[in-house]
Amino acid sequence: AARGEGSCAPVPEFLTDEQREIRDLARRFADEVVVPAAPQWDREPTFPKDVLAQMGELGLLGACIPAEYGGAGADFVAYVLAIEEISRGDAGLGVTFAVHVSAGQLPILAHGTTDQIERLIPQAAQGPELFAFAPTASASGSAARTPPTSIGAG
């Protein structure tokens, strides 16, 4: 049955117009660009820098970054909706997108100096620069959740 048909009442729409616009933009991009390319990314050891650049040009990489720093100025819900749509096309690209914003841009916005914010965030929000997360520790490799710790005496 179509949405809203049958014994259940239709689901009310809780998204704002801006959230729907960003979701729909990410959905179209995923359908037109990501989905057709994803199988090749799985077969070949490539990183889709050009696709991330396109996401930056569309404003997706800066969806929840304030406009004064080159972002779209949307809220966190819009950003998460964009991640969901991109991840539907390719989970790896969705994770790259999420890390770029959540582990890269947002901590700098929250805790960076004015110089760091002004120098780094516009380039990241618009796509020329990409943040990454690459933890390593001699005893745990890349297990970011469980880094080795020790408490010494004294």
Side-chain angles (χ1 to χ4, degrees):
R3 182 175 164 182
E5 293 180 8
S7 61
C8 295
V11 176
E13 183 65 67
F14 293 107
L15 301 177
T16 67
D17 289 342
E18 181 178 49
Q19 291 165 344
R20 275 193 296 280
E21 288 173 16
I22 290 174
R23 178 201 59 199
D24 294 347
L25 173 65
R27 179 176 292 159
R28 281 191 308 277
F29 185 80
D31 290 342
E32 295 170 9
V33 177
V34 177
V35 169
Q40 179 183 352
W41 300 338
D42 289 341
R43 286 190 304 271
E44 300 173 13
T46 60
F47 183 76
K49 287 174 59 175
D50 59 326
V51 174
L52 285 154
Q54 290 175 50
M55 290 172 62
E57 291 168 9
L58 290 172
L60 294 173
L61 295 183
C64 64
I65 304 303
E68 66 190 278
Y69 300 119
D75 63 16
F76 203 75
V77 170
Y79 159 61
V80 171
L81 290 167
I83 291 173
E84 181 177 49
E85 292 298 333
I86 297 301
S87 296
R88 183 180 54 80
D90 183 72
L93 185 62
V95 169
T96 301
F97 175 22
V99 167
H100 172 69
V101 177
S102 295
Q105 295 181 80
L106 296 181
I108 292 172
L109 279 172
H111 305 289
T113 65
T114 300
D115 175 65
Q116 290 170 328
I117 293 168
E118 290 174 354
R119 184 169 40 88
L120 299 172
I121 298 303
Q123 295 295 312
Q126 296 168 8
E129 298 294 333
L130 184 65
F131 286 108
F133 179 65
T136 186
S138 60
S140 66
S142 61
R145 286 188 58 191
T146 57
T149 59
S150 64
I151 300 174

